[in-house]
Amino acid sequence: MKGLFNGLLVKLMAVGVVAACSVLLFTTEKDCRDKENELDGIQVKIDALENENSELQRLLDSDDMSAYLEKVAIEERDYAYPDERRFYDTSRD
């Protein structure tokens, strides 16, 4: 009886260890997939910033600051030329 109990206990512990390792393996794989997706998103942001940086470097190298200033004024500051007319769609709120 004592040998049967010890053998059963060892088998149960072995099954428990295998189950715990399986859960740990699946959890680790899921975390790796999540991190790879996050890395892909970060890489897209890096590529966009590198493109913007190369465009700014090109503008600085060409000594054409007026084109850069015009771009910043129009896109970021929402400035307009004195004779320019802008129309805004206010029906979408």
Side-chain angles (χ1 to χ4, degrees):
M1 183 80 168
K2 188 175 184 180
L4 178 67
F5 181 71
N6 285 340
L8 181 63
L9 185 62
V10 170
K11 289 178 185 178
L12 286 175
M13 287 182 65
V15 168
V17 168
V18 169
C21 288
S22 297
V23 168
L24 184 62
L25 178 68
F26 290 130
T27 305
T28 304
E29 286 295 322
K30 183 186 176 301
D31 288 344
C32 286
R33 283 192 307 271
D34 291 344
K35 293 298 180 185
E36 285 174 355
N37 291 338
E38 184 180 344
L39 180 63
D40 291 341
I42 291 171
Q43 188 62 44
V44 167
K45 290 179 184 178
I46 288 172
D47 293 341
L49 290 173
E50 284 178 347
N51 288 338
E52 182 181 350
N53 190 25
S54 65
E55 180 182 339
L56 291 174
Q57 187 63 45
R58 182 187 56 80
L59 285 172
L60 286 174
D61 292 342
S62 70
D63 291 332
D64 187 16
M65 290 302 285
S66 61
Y68 173 70
L69 292 175
E70 180 180 356
K71 177 184 172 191
V72 169
I74 291 173
E75 292 178 2
E76 295 180 15
R77 301 288 181 150
D78 204 29
Y79 290 168
Y81 288 106
D83 59 346
E84 182 179 15
R85 295 176 63 190
R86 291 191 179 182
F87 300 95
Y88 298 100
D89 184 10
T90 59
S91 65
R92 297 185 301 166
D93 280 332

